[in-house]
Amino acid sequence: MSTERPDDHELEQTFSALEAHLPRVSPRADLFDEIERSIETDRTPAAAPAAARPRRRPRRWLVAGLTAAAVAATVLIVALLASSNGESPAQRSAIVAKGGTSVHGSVEVFAPQTAGGHVVLHLAGLQTAPAGNHYTVWVLRVGATEMTPIGSFADGRRATFTLPLPGPGAYRALDISLQRNDASPVHSAQSVAGATLG
């Protein structure tokens, strides 16, 4: 068996013969443009589909918006409760019994010079109002001649009440009266307890 390598001339003839029998194939005119676009795409970072982008952004903004709303609500609640949770009262006075009752306790006045001013009553010894009656809490401004009602209740066994002041100002007295449910909204002159403010 011969192990001689064919010379270059024989190889050239063989390739020429094969070439003559192979079909001629021409590349598409846009093939090179397509390859170039493919290469450029591979060089840039993969982007999310256009339809997916709008969905992600609102979702992030929605979560951020809800979080901000929750924080704002928490801050508002803390601000409203701050008066009885750590804020010192502008003044504190003893509540004394009137009209032969055994009512006693204290009243704290918070921020009377602001729109958020209010009082906190701590009561003891007050019974539930008789049927057809209720208790009304009144305050008297400095310089005023008539008291202003700031709240009513019937269950005298409740120990603590937080009631808003009618507006910024200085106050000199607080009174708790027994009122008939069907009576006109003026002081009944039946005081059960009171306090001197200021």
Side-chain angles (χ1 to χ4, degrees), residues 77-119:
I77 291 169
V78 169
L80 290 174
L81 295 177
S83 59
S84 55
N85 276 338
E87 182 184 334
S88 298
Q91 59 191 92
R92 182 183 287 112
S93 302
I95 291 178
V96 297
K98 292 183 179 181
T101 68
S102 58
V103 183
H104 59 280
S106 65
V107 55
E108 296 170 322
V109 182
F110 291 89
Q113 301 296 337
T114 70
H118 60 281
V119 297

Side-chain angles (χ1 to χ4, degrees), residues 28-51:
R28 295 194 329 258
D30 61 343
L31 179 61
F32 294 107
D33 292 337
E34 189 176 322
I35 292 171
E36 188 177 4
R37 280 195 303 271
S38 175
I39 292 170
E40 288 176 0
T41 302
D42 289 342
R43 286 178 184 163
T44 58

Side-chain angles (χ1 to χ4, degrees), residues 8-77:
D8 291 340
H9 180 68
E10 290 178 352
L11 287 174
E12 190 177 344
Q13 286 182 341
T14 302
F15 285 127
S16 295
L18 287 171
E19 188 179 4
H21 291 86
L22 289 174
R24 295 267 179 193
V25 177
S26 297
R28 295 194 329 258
D30 61 343
L31 179 61
F32 294 107
D33 292 337
E34 189 176 322
I35 292 171
E36 188 177 4
R37 280 195 303 271
S38 175
I39 292 170
E40 288 176 0
T41 302
D42 289 342
R43 286 178 184 163
T44 58
R53 279 186 206 152
R55 265 190 251 151
R56 283 188 196 153
R57 243 176 236 162
R59 207 171 285 157
R60 274 198 296 266
W61 282 108
L62 179 61
V63 171
L66 290 174
T67 303
V71 170
T74 302
V75 169
L76 179 61
I77 291 169

Side-chain angles (χ1 to χ4, degrees), residues 125-136:
L126 186 62
Q127 302 300 314
T128 297
N133 293 265
H134 64 273
Y135 297 107
T136 296

